[in-house]
Amino acid sequence: MKNVRVNSDSSVYSLMMPTSRKAPSVSDEKLQVVSAPKAPAVRSDDQLIDDFYARLTKQQLDWADSNKDSTVTKSEYMDSQARLAKIDNRVFDPATAEHYWNKLDPTGKGWLDESELREGYENLLPVSVGHLDANYAERLRTRQG
């Protein structure tokens, strides 16, 4: 066998000697840089409750205000409750709907604007934000079904 001399002029030399290689850059590879998802902003309990009532009020206005005058009349409310019962495949109970309307409109004027509707829902559906004890939350996570 013939001795092979390997030096820096030889192409075999590059296989045997480690060289530092530059990693390809994002621009070389035409890759898109994806930023890490941002954590949602921490909202206070009061903000969460405010958001709930704002969404509930807007949803009720969108659903019940058939003539789009930004008020809900008793007639519109009753009609919306009848439509909702039909969608839910249940019998419409006018007495229950009347009871709820009376809670929403305690003055009996017959119509509600957005702020009055919201105030009515705050009185009709009082909500709060609860927090689980850390030990209880862990037991729920690890509970076997």
Side-chain angles (χ1 to χ4, degrees), residues 101-114:
W101 174 259
N102 291 334
K103 297 249 183 208
L104 293 171
D105 181 22
T107 62
K109 74 176 180 179
W111 60 271
L112 302 169
D113 64 18
E114 184 174 358

Side-chain angles (χ1 to χ4, degrees), residues 37-138:
K38 292 182 181 179
V42 176
R43 296 182 357 217
S44 71
D45 293 352
D46 289 339
Q47 289 171 320
L48 293 171
I49 292 169
D50 183 63
D51 289 348
F52 168 77
Y53 284 122
R55 286 191 319 269
L56 180 65
T57 302
K58 181 179 179 346
Q59 182 182 22
Q60 183 63 37
L61 269 174
D62 290 347
W63 177 254
D65 185 15
S66 58
N67 64 1
K68 303 302 178 201
D69 66 351
S70 298
T71 63
V72 176
T73 64
K74 180 178 180 181
S75 175
E76 288 174 323
Y77 177 81
M78 297 298 276
D79 181 55
S80 72
Q81 294 303 300
R83 286 182 287 134
L84 186 59
K86 184 175 181 179
I87 290 171
D88 289 343
N89 290 322
R90 60 181 169 81
V91 176
F92 172 61
D93 181 7
T96 300
E98 177 90 24
H99 172 76
Y100 290 139
W101 174 259
N102 291 334
K103 297 249 183 208
L104 293 171
D105 181 22
T107 62
K109 74 176 180 179
W111 60 271
L112 302 169
D113 64 18
E114 184 174 358
S115 64
E116 293 166 325
L117 187 61
R118 179 185 171 127
E119 184 179 331
Y121 276 122
E122 289 174 0
N123 293 328
L124 182 64
L125 303 169
V127 297
S128 63
V129 176
H131 302 277
L132 295 176
D133 172 79
N135 292 328
Y136 183 73
E138 185 59 29

